[in-house]
Amino acid sequence: MLATGQGELYNLWLAVMMISLWAMQRLTKRELGIAIGDSKSFAIALAYPVIIIGSVALGAWAAQLIDLKDYSAATVSRRLSLNFLVTFVLALVTEEGFFRGALWGSCERAGFSPAKSVIWTSVAFGLWHAAVAVIDPDFPQP
């Protein structure tokens, strides 16, 4: 049980809200952000985390903060695969689906400019996440 009184899967409420907004406003797939991107966009999306994670790993290695004596490629592969799968599915269905999907589509329908949509969906995203830190500052993020 989290400090907010919710279970570990409290983010699934975002999926319920996303589906509700989608149904009530009859948002199109494009308004929900469900579309196939171009190859340049995919390349940027893949390069960004590789560059960030690689930079952090390189910095940790340069500062001699990495200890590889108990390194196991099988364990690393298993953990990365599980993290990717869980994060991809849960983030896509919950957070991205609601904040960058249904809520963004609702803002567009309301006539908000892209800049205004970024601001309002970011404020909502921040408030959703701030609740846990405000209620329990020592809460370890999963």
Side-chain angles (χ1 to χ4, degrees):
M1 182 79 68
L2 298 177
T4 58
Q6 303 292 322
E8 284 77 13
L9 298 177
Y10 77 105
N11 268 7
L12 290 180
W13 282 109
L14 291 171
V16 172
M17 293 188 303
M18 177 189 71
I19 292 167
S20 298
L21 270 177
W22 188 5
M24 288 187 301
Q25 294 188 341
R26 294 187 169 97
L27 297 168
T28 65
K29 287 182 181 178
R30 194 205 66 71
E31 288 174 317
L32 276 176
I34 300 172
I36 302 295
D38 58 75
S39 58
K40 181 181 176 186
S41 297
F42 280 114
I44 292 169
L46 288 173
Y48 182 76
V50 169
I51 291 168
I52 298 299
I53 293 169
S55 298
V56 170
L58 184 61
W61 176 77
Q64 298 179 348
L65 299 173
I66 295 178
D67 179 13
L68 298 176
K69 69 177 178 184
D70 294 326
Y71 173 78
S72 165
T75 301
V76 169
S77 297
R78 189 175 49 252
R79 287 182 181 173
L80 282 175
S81 299
L82 183 61
N83 270 335
F84 174 78
L85 180 65
V86 170
T87 301
F88 180 78
V89 171
L90 289 179
L92 184 65
V93 171
T94 59
E95 294 184 358
E96 294 303 318
F98 179 72
F99 294 108
R100 298 294 182 231
L103 189 58
W104 185 285
S106 295
C107 288
E108 276 187 341
R109 278 241 176 126
F112 288 15
S113 68
K116 196 172 184 180
S117 294
V118 166
I119 291 168
W120 283 111
T121 57
S122 298
V123 166
F125 183 83
L127 290 174
W128 176 264
H129 287 85
V132 173
V134 169
I135 293 171
D136 184 5
D138 296 325
F139 175 70
Q141 292 294 324

